Amino acid sequence: MSQEKTIDQKSIWEDARAILAKAEREGIETVWDRYETQTPHCTFCELGTTCRNCMMGPCRINANPNSKMKKGVCGANEDTIVARNFARFVAGGSSSHSDHGRDLINTLSAIADGNAPGYAIKDEAKLRAVAKELGVHDANTGDVTKVAKEVAERCYEQFGSKLDHLTFAERAPQARQDLWNSLKMMPRGIDREVVEMMHRTHMGCDNDPVSLLIQAARCALADGWGGSMIGTELSDAIFGTPSPITSQVDLAVLKADCVNIMVHGHNPVVSEMVLAAAREPELVERAKSVGASGGINVVGLCCTGNELMMRQGIPMAGNHLMTELALITGAVEAIVVDYQCIMPSLVHIASCYQTQFISTSPKGRFPGEIHKEVTPANAQAVCREIVEMAIEAFTKRDPNRVEIPGEPVSIMTGFSNEAILGALGGTPEPLLDAIKSGAIKGAVGVVGCNNPRVQHDSSNVAIVKELIAKGMLVLVTGCVTNAVGKAGLLVPEAAQYAAPGLRAVCESLGIPPVLHVGSCVDNSRILSLCAALANALGVDISDLPVAASAPEWYSEKAAAIGLYAVASGVPVHLGVVPNITGSALVTEVATSGLNDVVGASFIVEPDPVAAAEKIEAVIDVRRAKLGI
């Protein structure tokens, strides 16, 4: 058994450590406790050499020459099994973000039909720009309701099987599109690619590991240039395209004198309406009447938190590994969840306090929950009811069990592509000039999650510090946002930690060296920005001095994101070793062979300092090839 970690080894943050100590005192189990009980992990599973795809197994593969288990019952070897497992992992991740995108289409369609009271098109210009791109007639001048309806229909079509390519894939440089077509990697329909991936990995279908990996890439691309991109673009149209705004992060954004409501998950369709209800004067006064002198305080967790923070300035209490700790403060009246990255453990922890655990989506159900399904048609009424439940819960709070450590940390957020290009005068040329001159050495998207295998946020913060010190402009999404925000890197003053050239650029524009561009689904913003830069230079994305990193990733979605970035020509660093090392072939393809196919590959390196050096080396090679 592995040695149990001390509290200091679990997280780099003082607020997290304080609540971990409270959890120990109160006998509440956390994700770190459960992680310890699961170690050591199964070696076969870590290598990716287990197969449960049929009832002749399950099978475990040991490729050692002296082993009797070199093949599964059906005859599949380690290369096939590892490729199959990874492909299914990617299909799961692609499904989640793409289905998120579908929910935004449903909402837009309901708005157009007049069946979504409380929702509206807040950025008509963005809607019309998307409509034009999708080929909608009269996109620029037509009635906005009719345009919205047609956009929804065109987006629904992207999920089907009749297309030969996804419309947003046309944003990619022509050379990249030609490459995808030549490799049979061009995504044709979002649902089609996921279903085909699952079909191919059924017993007796595709057993060629290279073929499986190509379809896995196609499936991931359908997410990045399809489902996720739809989710981002329609969220902007409905809720507003983010622009620079200030906010705060840390557990200390919870307030002892308020009814605290936390929104958690990924879907802004729910959280935006919870926020609207929490701002109703009648409900604010009701909260004050039961003793919450500060009124109602809505805070975010994970990607739902990112969505609200980007557009509304709502503070974030924490990222993935902080979600349990936020409840253990004893200060939360309601946690309102939709789907993705929500630990089932939260239901039990909520029951230990006055906290109401309220689920809102039929896609995210939890034993012991209070379920209040939210749809575009009923969201106003249901979210108002949810806020009323939180106010009632405040009357049951035990002040003696409330502990809110730390102080809020200020950040700057809201850097959509429109905001970034707007700051540059409306074109990417100033950014390209800064890259050409060497003032900015390159750009790196640092994205992803937390994983209890890694000291909480240690790698997320360390790699970002290393990268900006090397002159890399960093773009962050998802759970990394909370980490670098708490580290003081999401404010203009953080330019002091950047290399001289990057510092000068940041100071001239009044921006941080680390730009928050959104939630995990908004990694599609980074794809679109890379495409715009490549098109402006007349090169492919694989020629750009760009890279990505997921230092503490854990989820299927992260695998899909990483693969669609690599397949788009962006090298991707992984700080947690994926479960593919049981196949030398798959490992070689992932870490080097893909360079010859798509012009990028994965860099697997747990040490963040070493990883930053490897990223810099790749970017140096690309700069040299461009002659800059």
Side-chain angles (χ1 to χ4, degrees):
M1 292 289 290
S2 63
Q3 185 175 359
E4 185 175 347
K5 294 179 180 178
T6 66
I7 285 178
D8 286 354
Q9 291 172 324
K10 293 175 181 177
S11 178
I12 65 173
W13 304 120
E14 289 303 320
D15 62 337
R17 292 171 175 175
I19 300 302
L20 281 167
K22 184 175 188 283
E24 285 190 1
R25 293 195 304 270
E26 298 186 355
I28 295 177
E29 179 186 80
T30 69
V31 60
W32 286 276
D33 300 316
R34 295 187 298 276
Y35 174 77
E36 292 295 340
T37 66
Q38 292 292 332
T39 54
H41 294 128
C42 168
T43 301
F44 291 101
C45 293
E46 287 194 323
L47 294 174
T49 54
T50 58
C51 182
R52 298 180 59 207
N53 286 17
C54 81
M55 287 305 295
M56 293 190 291
C59 296
R60 299 171 297 168
I61 303 299
N62 184 341
N64 187 299
N66 297 321
S67 171
K68 294 181 179 180
M69 299 190 299
K70 291 192 286 292
K71 292 182 180 179
V73 174
C74 71
N77 65 12
E78 75 277 12
D79 297 330
T80 295
I81 289 175
V82 169
R84 236 170 16 196
N85 289 341
F86 181 71
R88 284 200 165 201
F89 201 70
V90 168
S94 299
S95 299
S96 60
H97 271 167
S98 293
D99 207 39
H100 173 170
R102 187 173 0 230
D103 281 345
L104 270 300
I105 306 174
N106 293 340
T107 303
L108 180 65
S109 182
I111 292 170
D113 289 338
N115 294 327
Y119 295 99
I121 306 299
K122 290 190 177 179
D123 192 338
E124 183 178 324
K126 181 64 175 276
L127 177 70
R128 292 186 183 279
V130 171
K132 185 176 181 180
E133 200 169 355
L134 292 170
V136 173
H137 181 64
D138 286 341
N140 292 331
T141 59
D143 175 75
V144 67
T145 300
K146 292 182 179 178
V147 170
K149 185 65 175 176
E150 186 64 22
V151 167
E153 290 303 318
R154 297 293 175 95
C155 287
Y156 279 132
E157 290 172 0
Q158 303 296 305
F159 284 79
S161 300
K162 294 183 178 180
L163 302 175
D164 60 3
H165 70 278
L166 299 180
T167 302
F168 286 143
E170 295 174 7
R171 293 180 175 182
Q174 189 61 51
R176 182 62 30 175
Q177 296 180 52
D178 293 342
L179 178 65
W180 288 336
N181 280 316
S182 69
L183 295 170
K184 294 188 178 180
M185 203 180 279
M186 173 65 80
R188 302 156 295 179
I190 298 163
D191 287 348
R192 175 179 182 176
E193 304 306 355
V194 172
V195 170
E196 183 168 322
M197 190 74 267
M198 297 304 291
H199 180 190
R200 286 186 185 224
T201 54
H202 188 280
M203 188 273 165
C205 293
D206 195 343
N207 292 287
D208 182 332
V210 174
S211 175
L212 285 165
L213 293 175
I214 288 174
Q215 177 60 24
R218 193 180 221 174
C219 184
L221 288 168
D223 172 21
W225 297 88
S228 283
M229 206 164 278
I230 287 170
T232 291
E233 300 293 66
L234 297 192
S235 290
D236 285 354
I238 297 168
F239 303 115
T241 301
S243 58
I245 189 174
T246 58
S247 187
Q248 295 178 318
V249 293
D250 198 89
L251 278 180
V253 301
L254 294 168
K255 298 178 181 178
D257 64 347
C258 289
V259 172
N260 289 300
I261 300 174
M262 294 198 306
V263 290
H264 179 21
H266 283 73
N267 190 349
V269 172
V270 175
S271 55
E272 285 274 355
M273 201 59 75
V274 170
L275 178 63
R279 287 174 168 172
E280 289 185 22
E282 179 188 342
L283 292 180
V284 173
E285 287 305 311
R286 191 181 304 178
K288 292 180 179 179
S289 72
V290 299
S293 59
I296 304 171
N297 181 39
V298 176
V299 303
L301 294 168
C302 294
C303 281
T304 287
N306 277 269
E307 296 271 8
L308 279 187
M309 186 167 67
M310 283 273 285
R311 296 186 176 91
Q312 304 272 8
I314 294 303
M316 279 187 68
N319 51 19
H320 181 56
L321 289 188
M322 295 292 292
T323 56
E324 293 177 322
L325 306 186
L327 298 187
I328 297 170
T329 63
V332 179
E333 275 58 65
I335 178 168
V336 186
V337 307
D338 44 77
Y339 45 56
Q340 298 175 28
C341 300
I342 302 156
M343 297 188 206
S345 62
L346 295 176
V347 180
H348 172 69
I349 294 176
S351 72
C352 297
Y353 301 93
Q354 77 284 355
T355 310
Q356 305 294 294
F357 181 97
I358 304 167
S359 67
T360 60
S361 171
K363 303 169 191 176
R365 300 296 303 267
F366 301 82
E369 68 189 359
I370 299 170
H371 187 65
K372 299 286 183 180
E373 185 170 341
V374 173
T375 68
N378 72 10
Q380 260 191 335
V382 173
C383 289
R384 196 174 196 279
E385 183 181 349
I386 287 171
V387 173
E388 290 173 339
M389 292 170 63
I391 294 171
E392 173 62 23
F394 180 85
T395 65
K396 303 173 183 177
R397 183 196 286 184
D398 180 353
N400 295 319
R401 297 188 70 195
V402 173
E403 181 179 337
I404 305 174
E407 294 291 335
V409 181
S410 295
I411 67 164
M412 180 180 282
T413 177
F415 289 97
S416 61
N417 288 352
E418 289 83 351
I420 293 171
L421 294 177
L424 298 171
T427 73
E429 295 302 327
L431 178 57
L432 291 172
D433 289 342
I435 292 173
K436 290 175 185 176
S437 71
I440 295 176
K441 193 167 193 177
V444 182
V446 182
V447 306
C449 330
N450 303 127
N451 190 321
R453 290 172 177 257
V454 181
Q455 185 187 28
H456 175 223
D457 281 336
S458 59
S459 291
N460 286 335
V461 172
I463 197 166
V464 171
K465 286 183 175 180
E466 290 291 323
L467 290 169
I468 63 173
K470 294 176 182 296
M472 310 292 180
L473 179 67
V474 173
L475 293 79
V476 294
T477 63
C479 284
V480 175
T481 306
N482 193 265
V484 297
K486 289 169 77 168
L489 300 177
L490 289 181
V491 288
E493 293 78 8
Q496 64 182 302
Y497 305 117
L502 176 59
R503 176 175 181 171
V505 171
C506 292
E507 289 177 343
S508 69
L509 295 174
I511 61 172
V514 183
L515 304 180
H516 176 222
V517 301
S519 63
C520 284
V521 79
D522 291 332
N523 285 311
S524 60
R525 293 192 201 276
I526 300 176
L527 284 185
S528 294
L529 184 59
C530 286
L533 294 176
N535 286 324
L537 278 177
V539 300
D540 196 356
I541 295 174
S542 58
D543 299 315
L544 295 175
V546 298
S549 172
E552 299 180 24
W553 74 285
Y554 85 91
S555 71
E556 293 172 319
K557 296 180 301 176
I561 292 164
L563 188 54
Y564 74 56
V566 168
S568 299
V570 179
V572 174
H573 159 247
L574 300 176
V576 177
V577 180
N579 299 330
I580 63 172
T581 55
S583 166
L585 172 63
V586 174
T587 301
E588 190 279 330
V589 169
T591 57
S592 61
L594 285 171
N595 279 316
D596 298 327
V597 181
V598 295
S601 64
F602 289 99
I603 302 165
V604 180
E605 176 53 68
D607 181 77
V609 176
E613 292 173 352
K614 291 178 180 180
I615 290 170
E616 181 182 36
V618 171
I619 285 178
D620 283 342
V621 169
R622 290 187 170 203
R623 290 184 64 88
K625 287 183 177 179
L626 285 173
I628 57 175

